[in-house]
Amino acid sequence: LYRRVWRGSIVSSFLSPVLFLAAMGVGLGNYVSQNGGSVGGSTGGTAAALGGVSYLVFIAPGLLASTAMQAAAGESTFPIMGGIVWVRSFHGMLTTPIRVLDVLLGKVAYIALRLTLVCSVFFGVMLLFGATHGFQAIFAVPAAVLTGLAFTTPIVAFSATQKDTNGFNALFRFGVIPLFLFSGTFFPIAQLPVFLQPLAVVTPLWHGVDLCRTLALGTADAAGVLIHVAYLGTLTAVGLILAHRAFRRRLER
């Protein structure tokens, strides 16, 4: 099915980062630079808060990770509901010799492919905007894909338990949107109130944002990369186990 619509998705995947980086990175970024004194006490203070880089360079890898999260959430909610409840395509698959686990792994593999495509296009736009530094930057793409997968499998597990879309509304409203706003994408979490900073650090999006940002800036170190990868990989694995259980309960009837 995707072979017939991939061209359209490429266009939207390209336009989205162009608009985000132009509006937030260039437009808002120029405002942040010009008004640094009123934001951080001095222009130098603002630059220091952003790691000594322009706002465009700061925000771009954060948006890369956030885009992966949003793409993962979109592919892991309504399409799962469709396969189980509406179109029942998953039930049709199980009339063949494949198993429930095969259906789940196939869906997750497809989402991983979509994430790779979306993140690669986004990274290409980052290159056009000059928002990367050093050879490490290329590894921001697999880092973003891993971030997306860390959301994919738990959300798939959640979606497989739902009978209607009400739960998805709550998921996006109280999960995806707050994470997008408060996990370090637009400003360092050090700017949050002290009591909220530990909450931000334990969110998967913060790990993804920090991993993508250090790689894109060429400042990643082995210890930090391993911690982020271990966290996101563990969440992906746990989510896959829970998703398998949920799929079996819904499909093996």
Side-chain angles (χ1 to χ4, degrees):
L1 289 173
Y2 188 60
R3 285 189 303 172
R4 302 181 182 183
V5 298
W6 69 270
R7 293 175 181 83
S9 68
I10 287 289
V11 173
S12 61
S13 298
F14 178 79
L15 287 179
S16 178
V18 167
L19 295 175
F20 261 117
L21 293 180
M24 305 297 294
V26 178
L28 181 60
N30 288 335
Y31 178 81
V32 171
S33 299
Q34 294 171 7
N35 297 274
S38 62
V39 176
S42 68
T43 303
T46 301
L50 298 178
V53 299
S54 69
Y55 191 64
L56 169 64
V57 174
F58 175 83
I59 198 176
L63 287 174
L64 172 64
S66 298
T67 297
M69 173 193 70
Q70 293 174 334
E75 293 288 348
S76 304
T77 48
F78 295 98
I80 301 300
M81 178 72 72
I84 295 176
V85 179
W86 301 325
V87 184
R88 297 178 63 87
S89 55
F90 295 161
H91 296 275
M93 295 176 188
L94 292 175
T95 62
T96 71
I98 66 174
R99 304 164 298 168
V100 170
L101 181 60
D102 300 320
V103 174
L104 173 61
L105 293 179
K107 188 62 180 179
V108 172
Y110 166 73
I111 296 175
L113 177 64
R114 285 279 292 122
L115 290 173
T116 301
L117 181 62
V118 169
C119 293
S120 297
V121 173
F122 198 111
F123 183 76
V125 175
M126 287 173 58
L127 291 176
L128 294 177
F129 276 79
T132 61
H133 294 286
F135 74 94
Q136 291 183 354
I138 189 63
F139 296 105
V141 174
V145 173
L146 178 60
T147 301
L149 288 175
F151 284 93
T152 295
T153 55
I155 295 177
V156 167
F158 169 76
S159 299
T161 65
Q162 301 301 295
K163 296 183 179 179
D164 54 49
T165 62
N166 291 331
F168 299 157
N169 297 331
L171 173 67
F172 283 97
R173 190 169 301 164
F174 301 111
V176 173
I177 293 177
L179 287 178
F180 178 59
L181 296 175
F182 301 110
S183 294
T185 300
F186 299 102
F187 53 86
I189 62 170
Q191 305 300 314
L192 289 171
V194 175
F195 70 94
L196 287 179
Q197 293 178 23
L199 295 178
V201 170
V202 299
T203 62
L205 183 57
W206 177 83
H207 284 270
V209 167
D210 195 61
L211 178 59
C212 289
R213 180 168 289 139
T214 55
L215 289 170
L217 296 179
T219 60
D221 61 89
V225 170
L226 287 176
I227 291 173
H228 291 316
V229 170
Y231 181 96
L232 296 171
T234 299
L235 190 58
T236 301
V238 171
L240 189 62
I241 293 172
L242 296 176
H244 185 214
R245 293 177 179 175
F247 263 53
R248 290 187 62 183
R249 284 195 295 268
R250 292 298 297 273
L251 297 177
E252 289 186 346
R253 294 181 177 179

